[in-house]
C-alpha cells in the first residue's frame, strides 16, 4: 500500500479527554440515580453524544423524551466544556509532534476524524489545529462510528483515495469505521481488544513512519 495520508482519531489517540467525558457523564448518571463506572465509560469511546446518553439511560432502564434527552446532552456538554477549559499543548500525548513532523517531511497528509462536536476546540487548545490538512468531526456527519462516514469525509477533504489512507484509532467502533472505509487501520491500545486493526501500538509515541510505510 502506498500511504498518502494518515487520519487520526482525537480522544484517546492524540490526547486524553476520555477522563473528562467520564467525569461529566458520571455526574449526570449520579443525578439520574444510574450506576456508571470507568469500565462502563470504556464502552462509550468513539460513541457520539446521543449514543452515549442512550447507553447510560438504557443501563438505568430509563426512556426519555427527545426534549429531555436534548436537555441532558446540553447539561453534560456544558460540564465537559468546563472540565476541558484548562487544556494546553501540555495535554498533547508524547510523540504526536515528532510523528506529525515526520509525516510532513515525507509529504504525507494529516487528517482528523473525530466523533466529537468539540474536536475543533480541543485541537485549538492543544495547539495543533493548523497542522491538519483537513478536519472532519461530528458536526459534519450524520452517521457516527462504526459507520465509515467521518473517515471517508476526511479522505475526500484531503483529496486522497481511501486505499491510500491509514486510520489511527483507540476505539473498537473506530477501527470498524476505518476498515469499512477501505483504509488500513492502526489501533492504539490493547491488541486483544482492537483485533480488527492491521497493527496495534500501545501509544502514538511508538508509531514510526517506517512502520506505517510497511503496512
Ligand atoms: P462530544 P473521538 C469521541 O471522540 C469520544 O471518544 C467519545 O467518548 C465522545 O462521546 C464523542 O467523541 C462525542 O463527544 O460530546 O464532545 O461531541 O474519540 O472520536 O475523537
Ligand atoms: Mg477515540
Amino acid at each position: 500500500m502506498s500511504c498518502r495520508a494518515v487520519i487520526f482519531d482525537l480522544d484517546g489517540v492524540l490526547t486524553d479527554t476520555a477522563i473528562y467525558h467520564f467525569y461529566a457523564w458520571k455526574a449526570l448518571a449520579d443525578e439520574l440515580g444510574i450506576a456508571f463506572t470507568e469500565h462502563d465509560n470504556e464502552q462509550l469511546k468513539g460513541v457520539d453524544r446521543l449514543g452515549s446518553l442512550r447507553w447510560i439511560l438504557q443501563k438505568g432502564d430509563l426512556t426519555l423524551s427527545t426534549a429531555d434527552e436534548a436537555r441532558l446532552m446540553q447539561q453534560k456538554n456544558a460540564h465537559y466544556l468546563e472540565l476541558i477549559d484548562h487544556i494546553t499543548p501540555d495535554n498533547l500525548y508524547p510523540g504526536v509532534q515528532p510523528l506529525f513532523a515526520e509525516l510532513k517531511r515525507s509529504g504525507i497528509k494529516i487528517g482528523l476524524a473525530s466523533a466529537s462536536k468539540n474536536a475543533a476546540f480541543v485541537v485549538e487548545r492543544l495547539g495543533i489545529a493548523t497542522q491538519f490538512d483537513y478536519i472532519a468531526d461530528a458536526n459534519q456527519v450524520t452517521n457516527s462510528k462504526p459507520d465509515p462516514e467521518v473517515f471517508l469525509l476526511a479522505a475526500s477533504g484531503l483529496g486522497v483515495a481511501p486505499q491510500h489512507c491509514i486510520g489511527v484509532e483507540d476505539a473498537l467502533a473506530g477501527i470498524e469505521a476505518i476498515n469499512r472505509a477501505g483504509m488500513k487501520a492502526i489501533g492504539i491500545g490493547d491488541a486483544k481488544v482492537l483485533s480488527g486493526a492491521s497493527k496495534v501500538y500501545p501509544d502514538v509515541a511508538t508509531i514510526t513512519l517506517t512502520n506505517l510505510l510497511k503496512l
Side-chain angles (χ1 to χ4, degrees), residues 9-47:
D9 168 52
L10 177 61
D11 292 341
V13 170
L14 303 179
T15 189
D16 184 14
T17 33
I19 189 74
Y20 304 117
H21 281 296
F22 171 65
Y23 291 151
W25 282 129
K26 169 94 180 112
L28 189 74
D30 283 351
E31 226 177 83
L32 296 168
I34 300 170
F36 183 67
T37 63
E38 267 191 86
H39 177 73
D40 292 330
N41 196 53
E42 285 298 306
Q43 311 299 313
L44 304 185
K45 281 189 178 173
V47 178

Side-chain angles (χ1 to χ4, degrees), residues 83-205:
L83 295 170
I84 62 170
D85 194 43
H86 67 278
I87 282 184
T88 70
D90 287 343
N91 291 88
L92 197 61
Y93 276 145
V96 175
Q97 288 290 16
L99 181 61
F100 277 18
E102 231 183 337
L103 293 172
K104 281 193 188 297
R105 274 198 300 276
S106 313
I108 295 173
K109 291 193 170 158
I110 300 173
L112 186 79
S114 172
S116 173
K117 290 190 170 164
N118 299 300
F121 174 80
V122 174
V123 293
E124 191 66 49
R125 280 302 170 94
L126 292 172
I128 52 168
T130 56
Q131 300 204 31
F132 292 99
D133 297 295
Y134 192 80
I135 290 179
D137 66 31
N139 296 295
Q140 297 147 274
V141 298
T142 36
N143 303 300
S144 57
K145 301 166 185 178
D147 191 282
E149 191 180 356
V150 74
F151 281 96
L152 289 173
L153 176 69
S156 111
L158 293 168
V160 177
Q163 64 266 33
H164 296 296
C165 294
I166 293 173
V168 187
E169 261 286 352
D170 68 316
L172 208 48
I175 297 289
E176 188 182 332
I178 295 169
N179 285 330
R180 282 169 62 184
M183 303 174 184
K184 285 269 183 219
I186 290 211
I188 297 292
D190 185 343
K192 278 185 245 116
V193 178
L194 304 175
S195 53
S198 297
K199 197 96 187 120
V200 178
Y201 295 95
D203 48 44
V204 167

